[in-house]
Amino acid sequence: MLSVREVAQRLDVPVEMVRRHGIGGRVPEATVVALEAEPPAWLLQSRANRTGAPVWVDLECVVCGHAEKERPKKWWPEWTYLSCFRHAPTEAPAPAEGTVRREVDGIGSQFVALVDEPAA
Ligand SMILES: [Zn+2]
């Protein structure tokens, strides 16, 4: 059984859209397979209207490889690396020479964005 969130990721549409079309609770795998095999009008429409930006992005920790999918947020910086909160800063690759690193918390459920920018 899949969660609504997993269904949305599989179909690459927002969670709200899945809910709006009566899919909720725990969803059998067969339901998703059927939607992929014969997409209903709303799913085709959503794909046709896609503006090019991905609905879901893959986030992956540079240290341990933990990965998750998340909806991209407008406030996210352009990061050099992502790292889980629990890793020490020294576990991630060092910033390139001539760059300074700042950290942005709260990416996905457990990531810190490591943003390396040219030193002023
Ligand atoms: Zn990690």
Side-chain angles (χ1 to χ4, degrees):
M1 300 293 261
L2 302 168
S3 68
V4 171
R5 185 182 167 87
E6 287 167 326
V7 172
Q9 291 172 354
R10 283 273 295 273
L11 299 176
D12 200 27
V13 296
V15 170
E16 313 81 68
M17 181 177 293
V18 174
R19 287 226 176 85
R20 205 179 307 139
H21 292 88
I23 300 166
R26 304 299 289 174
V27 183
E29 173 79 19
T31 300
V32 181
V33 172
L35 285 168
E36 285 172 331
E38 283 185 63
W42 61 265
L43 186 52
L44 290 173
Q45 178 104 25
S46 157
R47 289 177 172 169
N49 291 348
R50 181 99 32 99
T51 53
V55 178
W56 296 91
V57 295
D58 291 301
L59 306 177
E60 185 172 344
C61 172
V62 68
V63 177
C64 72
H66 170 82
E68 61 185 56
K69 283 178 181 286
E70 189 53 73
R71 301 288 302 277
K73 305 290 188 295
K74 282 201 176 67
W75 59 267
W76 283 0
E78 294 255 334
W79 54 73
T80 312
Y81 301 108
L82 285 175
S83 164
C84 305
F85 291 120
R86 60 191 167 84
H87 302 305
T90 51
E91 289 184 80
E97 202 170 320
T99 66
V100 289
R101 174 166 292 174
R102 65 188 171 95
E103 299 185 0
V104 180
D105 289 343
I107 312 292
S109 68
Q110 64 174 74
F111 293 106
V112 180
L114 307 175
V115 184
D116 296 347
E117 291 165 331

